[in-house]
Amino acid sequence: FPPTIDEITRINCIYLDALKAAVAFGSSEVLRACSMTIPYFYKAYARHEAATKHFTKDVKILMRKFADNIPEPNIYTETRLDSLMRGPQEKLMKLKLILDRLYESKEWPTKETKEEALKHYTSICEVVDAFGRSEPDEASYNNRVFTPSGRILTELAKGWPAELQYRWLKRRVVGVYDVVHANNDAKRDILVIFSDYIVFLNVLNADSYYLTGSNKPLLSVVLMNSLINEVPLPPKIPQLHVKFHCYIDEISASIYNENMIRFDVIKTDQNPRFFAYKFASS
């Protein structure tokens, strides 16, 4: 039973507290409260989905070995445990349907109020829709990424290196991070660390994502969800372009000025180069 369920429960409590406080002030404040808190579910659900990927198989083993030690076995059956652990994401989809009805059926008193409500409603929908499982379109196979199970992901970024399109049986995603250029806070990149390669992705027109809506999940979290849980990227994210990539042993990292990180490329067949960033928190 992964600890990610505790993380989801904690965020759910925050969400319910915000919702309870907003109800007395009307539908507009309810949508505002939802748009501020629902994005926090994204990272938690992404982590939980990755942690419970093999839960169905694991719970069968648990029931087979420890069925006699489980309290109230008639209540906590194998099916019940599986639905409890793997079902939280479905609740978010149901919540979106409720908010659909709220926004569509409400008679908003003024045009300004309706526009404000639409902004919050759209922000909520984008977060929830990011969990979609639609199949990628008919893009070129040269721009696809094959996951360990053989699933084809939609194009992650322009210029995705051929070395990283295959050989996923042994490759692992170590981490994905939003980073900001050390000398320009307006420029964002995505740092993707695999067990064998490191990739720097340039975020084109990042403001179109971060400055619209409220409290959106970091692009690194969205990309991590796509890579780990083998789902296509949602459609409404900025275009990503591979800025640089190299084998993990051909680069070194160092920390300076407490919050800055510098990557020095040590490939012998290229001129020396480096990248300097600081990690983005929002």
Side-chain angles (χ1 to χ4, degrees):
F1 297 94
T4 48
I5 195 68
D6 296 328
E7 184 180 2
I8 291 175
T9 302
R10 179 179 60 83
I11 295 172
N12 190 59
C13 289
I14 295 172
Y15 166 70
L16 292 177
D17 287 343
L19 199 60
K20 184 177 179 180
V23 165
F25 298 95
S27 301
S28 180
E29 287 302 313
V30 168
L31 288 174
R32 182 195 299 272
C34 289
S35 71
M36 293 177 63
T37 53
I38 284 179
Y40 290 111
F41 281 107
Y42 191 97
K43 185 175 183 179
Y45 279 159
R47 286 162 50 87
H48 184 66
E49 186 167 333
T52 57
K53 186 176 294 186
H54 304 293
F55 186 79
T56 300
K57 179 185 69 176
D58 294 339
V59 77
K60 289 182 183 294
I61 297 174
L62 173 72
M63 298 299 289
R64 187 167 62 246
K65 292 185 176 181
F66 302 102
D68 296 337
N69 303 102
I70 295 177
E72 302 185 73
N74 294 330
I75 297 177
Y76 296 106
T77 62
E78 178 183 319
T79 303
R80 175 67 171 164
L81 291 174
D82 188 64
S83 63
L84 286 173
M85 294 300 295
R86 294 173 59 83
Q89 294 91 322
E90 298 174 5
K91 305 299 182 185
L92 201 58
M93 306 301 176
K94 293 179 180 179
L95 179 60
K96 178 176 178 289
L97 294 177
I98 295 173
L99 294 175
D100 285 343
R101 292 176 59 187
L102 172 63
Y103 177 76
E104 296 295 340
S105 62
K106 174 68 177 178
E107 294 184 4
W108 302 101
T110 65
K111 180 180 178 181
E112 290 75 15
T113 305
K114 185 174 183 178
E115 290 177 350
E116 182 74 10
L118 177 61
K119 182 180 73 172
H120 296 310
Y121 170 73
T122 302
S123 177
I124 296 166
C125 290
E126 288 178 357
V127 173
V128 177
D129 290 344
F131 286 99
R133 299 293 183 268
S134 59
E135 294 299 319
D137 57 17
E138 298 296 326
S140 169
Y141 275 78
N142 292 330
N143 293 326
R144 302 293 184 84
V145 174
F146 288 82
T147 63
S149 65
R151 186 182 178 91
I152 304 174
L153 295 185
T154 190
E155 182 180 352
L156 294 177
K158 294 290 184 182
W160 190 259
E163 301 95 311
L164 293 177
Q165 290 180 15
Y166 304 99
R167 300 178 183 174
W168 279 80
L169 290 176
K170 296 182 179 180
R171 179 174 297 121
R172 296 292 180 267
V173 181
V174 177
V176 185
Y177 307 94
D178 272 75
V179 290
V180 179
H181 286 224
N183 57 356
N184 189 343
D185 289 345
K187 290 187 177 181
R188 281 181 178 258
D189 285 350
I190 303 291
L191 172 64
V192 186
I193 304 175
F194 296 103
S195 54
D196 55 349
Y197 276 85
I198 186 168
V199 181
F200 297 88
L201 301 176
N202 181 229
V203 183
L204 305 181
N205 196 18
D207 289 349
S208 65
Y209 179 81
Y210 285 109
L211 297 184
T212 58
S214 59
N215 200 23
K216 289 185 176 180
L218 291 172
L219 286 173
S220 56
V221 177
V222 177
L223 187 56
M224 175 69 89
N225 181 43
S226 179
L227 290 169
I228 295 293
N229 295 322
E230 305 182 16
V231 297
L233 287 173
K236 294 184 179 180
I237 67 167
Q239 186 177 0
L240 305 175
H241 189 278
V242 175
K243 179 178 181 179
F244 181 79
H245 76 282
C246 70
Y247 192 63
I248 197 71
D249 289 341
E250 297 175 337
I251 197 167
S252 65
S254 56
I255 301 293
Y256 68 99
N257 291 348
E258 295 185 355
N259 64 340
M260 299 291 185
I261 184 168
R262 171 173 168 147
F263 296 92
D264 288 275
V265 181
I266 53 178
K267 295 179 70 172
T268 57
D269 60 339
Q270 293 186 7
N271 294 327
R273 61 186 304 182
F274 72 91
F275 304 94
Y277 297 107
K278 56 184 176 181
F279 290 105
S281 58
S282 61

PDB file of all heavy atoms in Angstrom, residues 213-240:
ATOM      1  N   GLY A 213      -4.555  31.102 -16.738  1.00  0.00           N
ATOM      2  CA  GLY A 213      -5.107  30.216 -15.724  1.00  0.00           C
ATOM      3  C   GLY A 213      -4.385  30.431 -14.408  1.00  0.00           C
ATOM      4  O   GLY A 213      -3.609  31.364 -14.231  1.00  0.00           O
ATOM      5  N   SER A 214      -4.637  29.566 -13.465  1.00  0.00           N
ATOM      6  CA  SER A 214      -4.025  29.730 -12.148  1.00  0.00           C
ATOM      7  C   SER A 214      -3.509  28.402 -11.623  1.00  0.00           C
ATOM      8  O   SER A 214      -4.141  27.364 -11.791  1.00  0.00           O
ATOM      9  CB  SER A 214      -5.054  30.302 -11.156  1.00  0.00           C
ATOM     10  OG  SER A 214      -6.178  29.449 -11.039  1.00  0.00           O
ATOM     11  N   ASN A 215      -2.326  28.459 -11.025  1.00  0.00           N
ATOM     12  CA  ASN A 215      -1.802  27.312 -10.291  1.00  0.00           C
ATOM     13  C   ASN A 215      -1.718  26.045 -11.130  1.00  0.00           C
ATOM     14  O   ASN A 215      -2.085  24.959 -10.688  1.00  0.00           O
ATOM     15  CB  ASN A 215      -2.682  27.053  -9.057  1.00  0.00           C
ATOM     16  CG  ASN A 215      -1.961  26.223  -8.013  1.00  0.00           C
ATOM     17  OD1 ASN A 215      -0.738  26.194  -7.971  1.00  0.00           O
ATOM     18  ND2 ASN A 215      -2.718  25.536  -7.180  1.00  0.00           N
ATOM     19  N   LYS A 216      -1.242  26.170 -12.356  1.00  0.00           N
ATOM     20  CA  LYS A 216      -1.130  24.991 -13.212  1.00  0.00           C
ATOM     21  C   LYS A 216       0.034  24.116 -12.755  1.00  0.00           C
ATOM     22  O   LYS A 216       1.017  24.618 -12.206  1.00  0.00           O
ATOM     23  CB  LYS A 216      -0.916  25.414 -14.666  1.00  0.00           C
ATOM     24  CG  LYS A 216      -2.137  26.040 -15.309  1.00  0.00           C
ATOM     25  CD  LYS A 216      -1.892  26.314 -16.780  1.00  0.00           C
ATOM     26  CE  LYS A 216      -3.144  26.857 -17.446  1.00  0.00           C
ATOM     27  NZ  LYS A 216      -2.940  27.125 -18.888  1.00  0.00           N
ATOM     28  N   PRO A 217      -0.062  22.803 -12.983  1.00  0.00           N
ATOM     29  CA  PRO A 217       1.064  21.935 -12.625  1.00  0.00           C
ATOM     30  C   PRO A 217       2.288  22.270 -13.463  1.00  0.00           C
ATOM     31  O   PRO A 217       2.174  22.682 -14.621  1.00  0.00           O
ATOM     32  CB  PRO A 217       0.534  20.530 -12.943  1.00  0.00           C
ATOM     33  CG  PRO A 217      -0.580  20.731 -13.913  1.00  0.00           C
ATOM     34  CD  PRO A 217      -1.192  22.052 -13.559  1.00  0.00           C
ATOM     35  N   LEU A 218       3.454  22.114 -12.874  1.00  0.00           N
ATOM     36  CA  LEU A 218       4.688  22.361 -13.606  1.00  0.00           C
ATOM     37  C   LEU A 218       4.761  21.447 -14.826  1.00  0.00           C
ATOM     38  O   LEU A 218       4.298  20.304 -14.798  1.00  0.00           O
ATOM     39  CB  LEU A 218       5.892  22.111 -12.703  1.00  0.00           C
ATOM     40  CG  LEU A 218       6.128  23.103 -11.556  1.00  0.00           C
ATOM     41  CD1 LEU A 218       7.239  22.600 -10.652  1.00  0.00           C
ATOM     42  CD2 LEU A 218       6.466  24.485 -12.087  1.00  0.00           C
ATOM     43  N   LEU A 219       5.360  21.953 -15.888  1.00  0.00           N
ATOM     44  CA  LEU A 219       5.515  21.143 -17.096  1.00  0.00           C
ATOM     45  C   LEU A 219       6.326  19.882 -16.816  1.00  0.00           C
ATOM     46  O   LEU A 219       6.101  18.839 -17.432  1.00  0.00           O
ATOM     47  CB  LEU A 219       6.189  21.966 -18.193  1.00  0.00           C
ATOM     48  CG  LEU A 219       5.325  23.036 -18.859  1.00  0.00           C
ATOM     49  CD1 LEU A 219       6.176  23.878 -19.798  1.00  0.00           C
ATOM     50  CD2 LEU A 219       4.171  22.403 -19.620  1.00  0.00           C
ATOM     51  N   SER A 220       7.265  19.985 -15.888  1.00  0.00           N
ATOM     52  CA  SER A 220       8.067  18.808 -15.545  1.00  0.00           C
ATOM     53  C   SER A 220       7.196  17.705 -14.953  1.00  0.00           C
ATOM     54  O   SER A 220       7.424  16.516 -15.204  1.00  0.00           O
ATOM     55  CB  SER A 220       9.169  19.197 -14.555  1.00  0.00           C
ATOM     56  OG  SER A 220       8.621  19.806 -13.396  1.00  0.00           O
ATOM     57  N   VAL A 221       6.183  18.083 -14.184  1.00  0.00           N
ATOM     58  CA  VAL A 221       5.276  17.096 -13.594  1.00  0.00           C
ATOM     59  C   VAL A 221       4.424  16.447 -14.687  1.00  0.00           C
ATOM     60  O   VAL A 221       4.200  15.234 -14.685  1.00  0.00           O
ATOM     61  CB  VAL A 221       4.379  17.757 -12.526  1.00  0.00           C
ATOM     62  CG1 VAL A 221       3.382  16.749 -11.969  1.00  0.00           C
ATOM     63  CG2 VAL A 221       5.227  18.337 -11.402  1.00  0.00           C
ATOM     64  N   VAL A 222       3.960  17.264 -15.635  1.00  0.00           N
ATOM     65  CA  VAL A 222       3.159  16.741 -16.743  1.00  0.00           C
ATOM     66  C   VAL A 222       3.990  15.774 -17.582  1.00  0.00           C
ATOM     67  O   VAL A 222       3.525  14.699 -17.975  1.00  0.00           O
ATOM     68  CB  VAL A 222       2.639  17.901 -17.617  1.00  0.00           C
ATOM     69  CG1 VAL A 222       1.870  17.367 -18.822  1.00  0.00           C
ATOM     70  CG2 VAL A 222       1.750  18.836 -16.800  1.00  0.00           C
ATOM     71  N   LEU A 223       5.233  16.156 -17.851  1.00  0.00           N
ATOM     72  CA  LEU A 223       6.108  15.307 -18.661  1.00  0.00           C
ATOM     73  C   LEU A 223       6.478  14.026 -17.919  1.00  0.00           C
ATOM     74  O   LEU A 223       6.541  12.943 -18.512  1.00  0.00           O
ATOM     75  CB  LEU A 223       7.370  16.087 -19.037  1.00  0.00           C
ATOM     76  CG  LEU A 223       8.328  15.428 -20.027  1.00  0.00           C
ATOM     77  CD1 LEU A 223       7.612  15.062 -21.316  1.00  0.00           C
ATOM     78  CD2 LEU A 223       9.507  16.347 -20.329  1.00  0.00           C
ATOM     79  N   MET A 224       6.706  14.143 -16.621  1.00  0.00           N
ATOM     80  CA  MET A 224       7.004  12.959 -15.817  1.00  0.00           C
ATOM     81  C   MET A 224       5.830  11.980 -15.849  1.00  0.00           C
ATOM     82  O   MET A 224       6.011  10.763 -15.987  1.00  0.00           O
ATOM     83  CB  MET A 224       7.309  13.369 -14.377  1.00  0.00           C
ATOM     84  CG  MET A 224       7.507  12.203 -13.417  1.00  0.00           C
ATOM     85  SD  MET A 224       9.017  11.267 -13.735  1.00  0.00           S
ATOM     86  CE  MET A 224      10.172  12.182 -12.723  1.00  0.00           C
ATOM     87  N   ASN A 225       4.618  12.515 -15.744  1.00  0.00           N
ATOM     88  CA  ASN A 225       3.433  11.663 -15.807  1.00  0.00           C
ATOM     89  C   ASN A 225       3.360  10.933 -17.142  1.00  0.00           C
ATOM     90  O   ASN A 225       3.021   9.747 -17.207  1.00  0.00           O
ATOM     91  CB  ASN A 225       2.178  12.515 -15.601  1.00  0.00           C
ATOM     92  CG  ASN A 225       0.904  11.693 -15.621  1.00  0.00           C
ATOM     93  OD1 ASN A 225       0.830  10.617 -15.032  1.00  0.00           O
ATOM     94  ND2 ASN A 225      -0.110  12.195 -16.303  1.00  0.00           N
ATOM     95  N   SER A 226       3.696  11.632 -18.221  1.00  0.00           N
ATOM     96  CA  SER A 226       3.658  11.026 -19.547  1.00  0.00           C
ATOM     97  C   SER A 226       4.689   9.906 -19.679  1.00  0.00           C
ATOM     98  O   SER A 226       4.398   8.835 -20.204  1.00  0.00           O
ATOM     99  CB  SER A 226       3.901  12.091 -20.617  1.00  0.00           C
ATOM    100  OG  SER A 226       3.891  11.534 -21.911  1.00  0.00           O
ATOM    101  N   LEU A 227       5.890  10.151 -19.181  1.00  0.00           N
ATOM    102  CA  LEU A 227       6.967   9.175 -19.322  1.00  0.00           C
ATOM    103  C   LEU A 227       6.787   7.972 -18.396  1.00  0.00           C
ATOM    104  O   LEU A 227       6.990   6.829 -18.806  1.00  0.00           O
ATOM    105  CB  LEU A 227       8.315   9.841 -19.042  1.00  0.00           C
ATOM    106  CG  LEU A 227       8.806  10.846 -20.093  1.00  0.00           C
ATOM    107  CD1 LEU A 227      10.004  11.625 -19.568  1.00  0.00           C
ATOM    108  CD2 LEU A 227       9.171  10.128 -21.386  1.00  0.00           C
ATOM    109  N   ILE A 228       6.404   8.232 -17.151  1.00  0.00           N
ATOM    110  CA  ILE A 228       6.300   7.156 -16.170  1.00  0.00           C
ATOM    111  C   ILE A 228       5.041   6.323 -16.372  1.00  0.00           C
ATOM    112  O   ILE A 228       5.071   5.088 -16.349  1.00  0.00           O
ATOM    113  CB  ILE A 228       6.323   7.726 -14.737  1.00  0.00           C
ATOM    114  CG1 ILE A 228       7.677   8.373 -14.447  1.00  0.00           C
ATOM    115  CG2 ILE A 228       6.043   6.627 -13.716  1.00  0.00           C
ATOM    116  CD1 ILE A 228       8.835   7.418 -14.381  1.00  0.00           C
ATOM    117  N   ASN A 229       3.913   7.011 -16.590  1.00  0.00           N
ATOM    118  CA  ASN A 229       2.630   6.313 -16.673  1.00  0.00           C
ATOM    119  C   ASN A 229       2.195   6.007 -18.097  1.00  0.00           C
ATOM    120  O   ASN A 229       1.084   5.526 -18.323  1.00  0.00           O
ATOM    121  CB  ASN A 229       1.549   7.132 -15.958  1.00  0.00           C
ATOM    122  CG  ASN A 229       1.825   7.245 -14.469  1.00  0.00           C
ATOM    123  OD1 ASN A 229       2.289   6.299 -13.843  1.00  0.00           O
ATOM    124  ND2 ASN A 229       1.558   8.404 -13.895  1.00  0.00           N
ATOM    125  N   GLU A 230       3.064   6.322 -19.062  1.00  0.00           N
ATOM    126  CA  GLU A 230       2.856   5.939 -20.458  1.00  0.00           C
ATOM    127  C   GLU A 230       1.557   6.500 -21.030  1.00  0.00           C
ATOM    128  O   GLU A 230       0.750   5.781 -21.617  1.00  0.00           O
ATOM    129  CB  GLU A 230       2.894   4.414 -20.601  1.00  0.00           C
ATOM    130  CG  GLU A 230       4.171   3.790 -20.056  1.00  0.00           C
ATOM    131  CD  GLU A 230       4.218   2.285 -20.253  1.00  0.00           C
ATOM    132  OE1 GLU A 230       3.422   1.768 -21.064  1.00  0.00           O
ATOM    133  OE2 GLU A 230       5.043   1.633 -19.611  1.00  0.00           O
ATOM    134  N   VAL A 231       1.350   7.791 -20.837  1.00  0.00           N
ATOM    135  CA  VAL A 231       0.160   8.441 -21.377  1.00  0.00           C
ATOM    136  C   VAL A 231       0.600   9.595 -22.278  1.00  0.00           C
ATOM    137  O   VAL A 231       1.658  10.195 -22.060  1.00  0.00           O
ATOM    138  CB  VAL A 231      -0.764   8.975 -20.254  1.00  0.00           C
ATOM    139  CG1 VAL A 231      -1.281   7.826 -19.418  1.00  0.00           C
ATOM    140  CG2 VAL A 231      -0.045   9.982 -19.376  1.00  0.00           C
ATOM    141  N   PRO A 232      -0.187   9.914 -23.297  1.00  0.00           N
ATOM    142  CA  PRO A 232       0.172  11.032 -24.175  1.00  0.00           C
ATOM    143  C   PRO A 232       0.170  12.351 -23.419  1.00  0.00           C
ATOM    144  O   PRO A 232      -0.543  12.519 -22.431  1.00  0.00           O
ATOM    145  CB  PRO A 232      -0.936  11.013 -25.240  1.00  0.00           C
ATOM    146  CG  PRO A 232      -1.527   9.644 -25.172  1.00  0.00           C
ATOM    147  CD  PRO A 232      -1.402   9.218 -23.746  1.00  0.00           C
ATOM    148  N   LEU A 233       0.969  13.281 -23.893  1.00  0.00           N
ATOM    149  CA  LEU A 233       0.948  14.619 -23.317  1.00  0.00           C
ATOM    150  C   LEU A 233      -0.380  15.289 -23.628  1.00  0.00           C
ATOM    151  O   LEU A 233      -0.949  15.079 -24.698  1.00  0.00           O
ATOM    152  CB  LEU A 233       2.084  15.464 -23.898  1.00  0.00           C
ATOM    153  CG  LEU A 233       3.508  15.139 -23.438  1.00  0.00           C
ATOM    154  CD1 LEU A 233       4.504  15.954 -24.251  1.00  0.00           C
ATOM    155  CD2 LEU A 233       3.676  15.427 -21.963  1.00  0.00           C
ATOM    156  N   PRO A 234      -0.904  16.085 -22.699  1.00  0.00           N
ATOM    157  CA  PRO A 234      -2.133  16.832 -23.001  1.00  0.00           C
ATOM    158  C   PRO A 234      -1.877  17.822 -24.125  1.00  0.00           C
ATOM    159  O   PRO A 234      -0.743  18.273 -24.326  1.00  0.00           O
ATOM    160  CB  PRO A 234      -2.449  17.535 -21.676  1.00  0.00           C
ATOM    161  CG  PRO A 234      -1.158  17.580 -20.939  1.00  0.00           C
ATOM    162  CD  PRO A 234      -0.402  16.354 -21.345  1.00  0.00           C
ATOM    163  N   PRO A 235      -2.911  18.192 -24.872  1.00  0.00           N
ATOM    164  CA  PRO A 235      -2.704  19.036 -26.057  1.00  0.00           C
ATOM    165  C   PRO A 235      -2.304  20.472 -25.753  1.00  0.00           C
ATOM    166  O   PRO A 235      -1.613  21.094 -26.541  1.00  0.00           O
ATOM    167  CB  PRO A 235      -4.070  18.981 -26.758  1.00  0.00           C
ATOM    168  CG  PRO A 235      -5.045  18.651 -25.676  1.00  0.00           C
ATOM    169  CD  PRO A 235      -4.310  17.766 -24.715  1.00  0.00           C
ATOM    170  N   LYS A 236      -2.729  21.012 -24.613  1.00  0.00           N
ATOM    171  CA  LYS A 236      -2.532  22.440 -24.357  1.00  0.00           C
ATOM    172  C   LYS A 236      -1.285  22.715 -23.528  1.00  0.00           C
ATOM    173  O   LYS A 236      -1.332  23.331 -22.469  1.00  0.00           O
ATOM    174  CB  LYS A 236      -3.763  23.021 -23.669  1.00  0.00           C
ATOM    175  CG  LYS A 236      -4.999  23.013 -24.550  1.00  0.00           C
ATOM    176  CD  LYS A 236      -6.173  23.680 -23.869  1.00  0.00           C
ATOM    177  CE  LYS A 236      -7.398  23.699 -24.774  1.00  0.00           C
ATOM    178  NZ  LYS A 236      -8.554  24.354 -24.126  1.00  0.00           N
ATOM    179  N   ILE A 237      -0.154  22.243 -24.008  1.00  0.00           N
ATOM    180  CA  ILE A 237       1.107  22.591 -23.360  1.00  0.00           C
ATOM    181  C   ILE A 237       2.011  23.229 -24.407  1.00  0.00           C
ATOM    182  O   ILE A 237       1.845  23.000 -25.606  1.00  0.00           O
ATOM    183  CB  ILE A 237       1.800  21.369 -22.726  1.00  0.00           C
ATOM    184  CG1 ILE A 237       2.262  20.385 -23.798  1.00  0.00           C
ATOM    185  CG2 ILE A 237       0.912  20.688 -21.709  1.00  0.00           C
ATOM    186  CD1 ILE A 237       3.204  19.344 -23.255  1.00  0.00           C
ATOM    187  N   PRO A 238       2.954  24.056 -23.981  1.00  0.00           N
ATOM    188  CA  PRO A 238       3.841  24.711 -24.950  1.00  0.00           C
ATOM    189  C   PRO A 238       4.653  23.684 -25.738  1.00  0.00           C
ATOM    190  O   PRO A 238       4.885  22.563 -25.279  1.00  0.00           O
ATOM    191  CB  PRO A 238       4.752  25.572 -24.070  1.00  0.00           C
ATOM    192  CG  PRO A 238       4.060  25.697 -22.770  1.00  0.00           C
ATOM    193  CD  PRO A 238       3.243  24.461 -22.605  1.00  0.00           C
ATOM    194  N   GLN A 239       5.072  24.090 -26.898  1.00  0.00           N
ATOM    195  CA  GLN A 239       5.915  23.217 -27.711  1.00  0.00           C
ATOM    196  C   GLN A 239       7.285  23.086 -27.061  1.00  0.00           C
ATOM    197  O   GLN A 239       7.853  24.056 -26.559  1.00  0.00           O
ATOM    198  CB  GLN A 239       6.051  23.777 -29.119  1.00  0.00           C
ATOM    199  CG  GLN A 239       6.790  22.857 -30.078  1.00  0.00           C
ATOM    200  CD  GLN A 239       6.833  23.419 -31.492  1.00  0.00           C
ATOM    201  OE1 GLN A 239       6.308  24.490 -31.751  1.00  0.00           O
ATOM    202  NE2 GLN A 239       7.465  22.699 -32.391  1.00  0.00           N
ATOM    203  N   LEU A 240       7.803  21.876 -27.069  1.00  0.00           N
ATOM    204  CA  LEU A 240       9.120  21.602 -26.504  1.00  0.00           C
ATOM    205  C   LEU A 240      10.085  21.262 -27.631  1.00  0.00           C
ATOM    206  O   LEU A 240       9.714  20.614 -28.607  1.00  0.00           O
ATOM    207  CB  LEU A 240       9.042  20.435 -25.512  1.00  0.00           C
ATOM    208  CG  LEU A 240       8.037  20.575 -24.366  1.00  0.00           C
ATOM    209  CD1 LEU A 240       7.988  19.293 -23.541  1.00  0.00           C
ATOM    210  CD2 LEU A 240       8.387  21.753 -23.480  1.00  0.00           C
TER     211      LEU A 240
END
